[in-house]
């Protein structure tokens, strides 16, 4: 299974020194840590690629490679997310979406195949994938389970001004 993890482009609301350094170095100040957290919840046998659209445009080779696309988005990424979903759907890809944007307005995303809402873990979805019994919506009102070792190797650290690394329990 080939999984393409995508972090949509954020609207730039930076001011002051942060905006100055972003323009100077052409880098964002945040890394897509949330996608790493999702990645480590997936089976180790699944191949993964991570694309941060704040760093690079999505190319057609990545979409052709993917069986599924996972999108993690918040409110500041709505415009980019809507365009991204249209692009993925026109390429015939199945979409799994997670994040605050989808939690607050799931009805706005009828064209998404699977919604992981309210910080549900991916474990129930993965089990259902293996059993061919997937649902459209996975919902949870509990905190995330312990996560496996981090997969920060998916990130190119040279693309970011700072690193927001947190230790995880193994």
């Amino acid at each position: 299974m080939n999984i393409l993890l995508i972090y949509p482009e954020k609207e730039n609301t930076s001011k002051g020194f942060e905006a100055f350094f972003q323009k100077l170095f052409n880098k964002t100040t945040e890394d897509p840590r949330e996608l790493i957290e999702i990645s480590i919840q997936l089976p180790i046998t699944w191949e993964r690629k991570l694309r941060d659209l704040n760093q690079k445009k999505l190319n057609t080779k990545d979409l052709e490679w993917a069986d599924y696309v996972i999108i993690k988005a918040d409110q500041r990424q709505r415009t980019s997310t809507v365009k991204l979903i249209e692009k993925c759907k026109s390429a015939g890809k199945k979409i799994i979406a997670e994040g605050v944007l989808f939690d607050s307005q799931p009805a706005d995303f009828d064209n998404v195949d699977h919604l992981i809402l309210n910080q549900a873990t991916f474990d129930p979805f993965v089990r259902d994938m293996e059993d061919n019994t997937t649902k459209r919506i996975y919902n949870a009102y509990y905190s995330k389970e312990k996560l496996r070792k981090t997969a920060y190797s998916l990130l190119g650290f040279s693309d970011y001004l700072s690193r927001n690394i947190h230790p995880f329990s193994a």
Side-chain angles (χ1 to χ4, degrees):
M1 178 89 53
N2 294 332
I3 305 294
L4 181 59
L5 299 129
I6 302 178
Y7 194 63
E9 192 173 355
K10 282 191 175 186
E11 294 177 19
N12 191 357
T13 58
S14 302
K15 294 182 173 140
F17 282 115
E18 185 177 359
F20 170 75
F21 285 114
Q22 283 180 353
K23 287 180 183 175
L24 180 65
F25 296 112
N26 197 23
K27 296 180 182 188
T28 60
T29 56
E30 301 174 26
D31 60 37
R33 178 177 42 89
E34 298 90 357
L35 280 177
I36 298 300
E37 292 173 0
I38 291 170
S39 172
I40 60 179
Q41 295 178 65
L42 302 176
I44 198 162
T45 56
W46 293 7
E47 293 292 321
R48 304 164 182 88
K49 286 185 182 179
L50 187 148
R51 293 296 174 258
D52 181 351
L53 300 186
N54 295 290
Q55 299 298 324
K56 297 176 185 158
K57 299 284 184 209
L58 183 63
N59 63 47
T60 54
K61 285 184 183 178
D62 289 332
L63 273 180
E64 290 170 1
W65 171 86
D67 297 316
Y68 277 86
V69 173
I70 296 178
I71 301 170
K72 170 80 175 187
D74 65 26
Q75 300 295 350
R76 295 183 297 166
Q77 297 167 300
R78 184 179 181 84
T79 304
S80 175
T81 300
V82 169
K83 291 176 186 174
L84 176 61
I85 290 170
E86 289 172 7
K87 186 173 186 173
C88 292
K89 280 302 182 184
S90 66
K93 299 302 170 184
K94 292 202 178 250
I95 301 170
I96 306 162
E98 202 253 359
V100 176
L101 177 62
F102 307 103
D103 292 345
S104 62
Q105 301 161 338
D108 290 354
F109 299 98
D110 288 336
N111 52 352
V112 171
D113 299 288
H114 306 285
L115 292 168
I116 313 293
L117 303 177
N118 300 310
Q119 295 190 351
T121 62
F122 272 70
D123 292 337
F125 175 75
V126 170
R127 279 193 297 273
D128 289 352
M129 282 277 291
E130 291 169 349
D131 296 338
N132 264 348
T133 59
T134 55
K135 301 182 283 188
R136 181 167 186 276
I137 295 178
Y138 290 82
N139 206 337
Y141 295 102
Y142 53 86
S143 61
K144 291 189 177 207
E145 298 169 12
K146 277 187 161 183
L147 300 176
R148 294 182 285 275
K149 231 177 180 179
T150 60
Y152 269 92
S153 62
L154 291 172
L155 283 177
F157 282 127
S158 62
D159 293 334
Y160 303 95
L161 287 173
S162 64
R163 296 180 187 119
N164 192 7
I165 299 176
H166 298 279
F168 290 93
S169 301

